[in-house]
Amino acid sequence: MLSFLLEGEMRDGLGLLKAHLRRPGEDEAAFEARFAEALRLGFLPDSASPAETVALTGAAPAAAPAAPTGIEVVFRPDPTVWDGTHADLSWLQELPKPLTKVVWENVVLISPALAEREGIATGDVVAVEAGAARIEGAAWILPGQAEETVTLTLGYGRNVPDHLSRGLGYDANRLRPADTPWRLQGAKLARTGERRMPATTQDLGTMQGHDFVRVQAEGAEPVGEDASARLPSFYGPSSEDRGAKAAWGMVIDLDACTGCNACVTACQSENNIPVVGRDEVARGRWMGWIRIDRYYAGSLDEPATHFQPVPCMHCEQAPCEVGCPVEATLHDSEGLNLQVYNRCVGTRTCQSYCPYKVRRFNYLDYTGDQPAVLQQRNNPEVTVRARGVMEKCTYCIQRIAAARIDSAKDAHAAIPDGAVETACQNACPTRAIVFGNIADPESRVARARAEGRHYALLGELNTRPRTTYLAGLAPADGQKAPPPSEQSPGQSPEKEG
């Protein structure tokens, strides 16, 4: 086509195609007939490549090249900031990575077998070298990692002035070869003698003898609990027992949850949850209202990985309400566990009483000095909390109130099932979260609570949580339940300081 342009002659696509197919000296009528026949057949007759004859010989094949010695390095986009495109978004920097729960940096992922052989522990600073290129980063022992493989993630190690991501983590691009950008053979791994424990929101990798996550084999006896079962209690009747028109509850299907963290980010956006920074996370002061716990089960080489979203349980018999000296946390008529911010005096008693550890305390003033342009990004339907108060999941009460106002326009009709979706439910790509009125037996959440897989987290404490779970599923010949008693694979040492 370029030759036609240089010659100053422009032709349409059909003219260029015919010029390409025309044989030298071919008559116009003959060509048009051959072209019409090719269109009818859908191919050009006699245009196939000539057949070739092959034969086996007795010659020995050439010796295979020797396998490269050293460690194989695999490069992957970071699960939160990707290739660095989102490295300056504080929400994503403080979003725990699905498998490691590390925030504000990337780590060098190492298999348990390789770590044992090299004497590497989680938090040791290691060097990965290939030729003249070298990076250093904190090691993280990851169950399921291939033995002779190290995984490096992209998106960090930037040195751009005045950028949020400056100085965080290592730059994996220094080691990436041009011809095989996702894999590097023959690298060297060595300890540097330094230690730098990554900031993480979860220390333990297994359930330490508990049954937080339950797995039910297909065709086996249900591992759930009867939702109507009641243990003796000194508490009075619940709103559900009193026949309330609305009794809000949530069911999370652990078989559908993939640990993607979409619910965590959606909750942060909806409820004006502040970003606290790496140092505060390392002190255990992460502010997320919903967390996704990650547990391993089975062998270190091929573990089963389980994810469990944990928001506030909205317990009917809530220990936090008993502990609060000023009644800043209390129940409403529809079963919501409320938090009254202007009553809270910051004793943190409710936090210590909560067996699920889902309450967050504002140690610092994260929002007082926000410029006006940043204040405008906050959700105006949700109170921005001040320093010294406790906060937690509210079941997106602002959305419940909006649905109640809409139903009031129709002669105070009941809120229809599905009219209220919490932020986490709305963002979940697998629809693992169901929310609604458990007092309505026809609601989706009530039907979920009637399944054989239904159970309550720490149900033996008799807190009667409104947030409950459906057990995961496993093949009939596979894993029956997560072994809870083995040592925690990939367990991090205790936090320092």
Side-chain angles (χ1 to χ4, degrees):
M1 182 175 181
L2 181 60
S3 62
F4 289 114
L5 293 176
L6 293 177
E7 293 171 3
E9 182 181 359
M10 294 293 295
R11 296 188 183 181
D12 58 7
L14 179 59
L16 292 173
L17 177 61
K18 288 185 175 182
H20 175 72
L21 297 178
R22 189 185 301 273
R23 295 169 180 170
E26 186 174 16
D27 179 76
E28 181 69 22
F31 170 75
E32 290 295 339
R34 187 169 62 85
F35 186 75
E37 180 65 10
L39 291 179
R40 186 185 68 81
L41 295 175
F43 63 91
L44 287 172
D46 304 324
S47 62
S49 300
E52 295 185 5
T53 303
V54 296
L56 296 175
T57 65
T69 59
I71 304 299
E72 179 184 33
V73 179
V74 178
F75 301 91
R76 289 292 180 266
D78 187 83
T80 58
V81 303
W82 199 239
D83 60 353
T85 303
H86 311 297
D88 287 322
L89 296 179
S90 59
W91 281 359
L92 297 183
Q93 286 286 5
E94 199 157 293
L95 183 65
K97 305 183 195 305
L99 293 178
T100 64
K101 300 302 173 184
V102 170
V103 298
W104 288 102
E105 64 181 305
N106 56 353
V107 291
V108 180
L109 301 177
I110 302 175
S111 70
L114 179 60
E116 182 178 5
R117 191 183 73 207
E118 299 293 333
I120 298 173
T122 292
D124 287 344
V125 177
V126 297
V128 183
E129 299 180 354
R134 170 189 173 102
I135 64 99
E136 292 185 3
W140 189 275
I141 302 174
L142 184 67
Q145 178 95 351
E147 180 174 348
E148 298 296 324
T149 302
V150 167
T151 299
L152 305 181
T153 55
L154 309 177
Y156 285 90
R158 299 186 164 202
N159 194 28
V160 183
D162 300 325
H163 277 229
L164 178 69
S165 58
R166 184 180 187 184
L168 299 178
Y170 57 81
D171 182 9
N173 287 300
R174 295 180 182 177
L175 295 178
R176 295 181 75 187
D179 52 343
T180 57
W182 300 106
R183 181 170 295 178
L184 169 66
Q185 299 282 359
K188 298 179 181 179
L189 176 69
R191 296 173 57 189
T192 64
E194 301 178 10
R195 277 189 61 80
R196 185 178 68 250
M197 193 62 199
T200 177
T201 60
Q202 183 179 352
D203 290 327
L204 300 180
T206 60
M207 290 173 275
Q208 303 295 297
H210 296 278
D211 61 347
F212 304 146
V213 175
R214 300 185 186 181
V215 177
Q216 175 180 319
E218 296 178 6
E221 290 295 323
V223 298
E225 301 164 345
D226 184 1
S228 63
R230 295 289 185 266
L231 297 174
S233 174
F234 287 111
Y235 283 82
S238 66
S239 56
E240 183 184 3
D241 295 333
R242 293 193 300 268
K245 293 183 179 179
W248 301 106
M250 177 180 289
V251 174
I252 302 175
D253 188 350
L254 299 183
D255 193 59
C257 178
T258 63
C260 70
N261 278 326
C263 57
V264 179
T265 303
C267 180
Q268 186 168 24
S269 172
E270 174 76 15
N271 295 294
N272 303 327
I273 298 174
V275 172
V276 301
R278 184 192 186 282
D279 293 341
E280 291 299 296
V281 173
R283 294 186 178 99
R285 297 177 179 179
W286 185 63
M287 294 296 293
W289 285 8
I290 180 173
R291 69 177 190 268
I292 300 181
D293 290 339
R294 174 265 302 124
Y295 298 108
Y296 297 113
S299 68
L300 291 172
D301 297 327
E302 297 184 10
T305 306
H306 304 281
F307 298 102
Q308 183 174 42
V310 184
C312 176
M313 298 289 115
H314 290 270
C315 307
E316 284 286 0
Q317 301 173 170
C320 58
E321 297 175 12
V322 178
C324 182
V326 294
E327 294 189 359
T329 176
L330 68 162
H331 246 63
D332 73 355
S333 60
E334 296 181 344
L336 295 184
N337 179 254
L338 305 178
Q339 185 70 27
V340 184
Y341 302 124
N342 56 3
R343 284 187 190 174
C344 182
V345 295
T347 66
R348 292 181 288 159
T349 310
C350 60
Q351 187 180 43
S352 64
Y353 277 34
C354 175
Y356 304 98
K357 304 307 173 189
V358 291
R359 290 176 161 266
R360 305 287 180 255
F361 183 70
N362 285 269
Y363 284 89
L364 302 173
D365 186 4
Y366 300 112
T367 58
D369 59 350
Q370 275 189 341
V373 66
L374 292 183
Q375 294 178 14
Q376 294 174 3
R377 72 181 181 183
N378 292 331
N379 182 359
E381 302 296 329
V382 178
T383 302
V384 177
R385 285 76 60 189
R387 180 184 182 183
V389 301
M390 192 67 65
E391 59 185 65
K392 64 168 191 68
C393 160
T394 65
Y395 271 170
C396 289
I397 190 172
Q398 68 278 3
R399 297 191 177 196
I400 298 175
R404 184 178 295 112
I405 292 172
D406 289 340
S407 64
K409 299 175 183 177
D410 187 15
H412 297 278
I415 300 176
D417 185 39
V420 181
E421 281 198 355
T422 61
C424 56
Q425 175 190 10
N426 187 258
C428 181
T430 61
R431 309 304 289 172
I433 301 175
V434 178
F435 178 78
N437 181 9
I438 62 177
D440 177 9
E442 300 302 320
S443 65
R444 289 178 296 169
V445 68
R447 293 197 299 269
R449 288 167 65 93
E451 287 194 28
R453 294 188 290 140
H454 176 262
Y455 74 98
L457 180 61
L458 297 179
E460 65 273 15
L461 300 181
N462 201 26
T463 58
R464 294 178 60 184
R466 285 286 182 85
T467 302
T468 50
Y469 297 89
L470 297 181
L473 293 174
D477 57 348
Q479 180 185 3
K480 299 298 188 294
S485 59
E486 76 275 35
Q487 288 189 351
S488 176
Q491 176 177 343
S492 304
E494 294 295 326
K495 290 182 180 177
E496 300 176 0

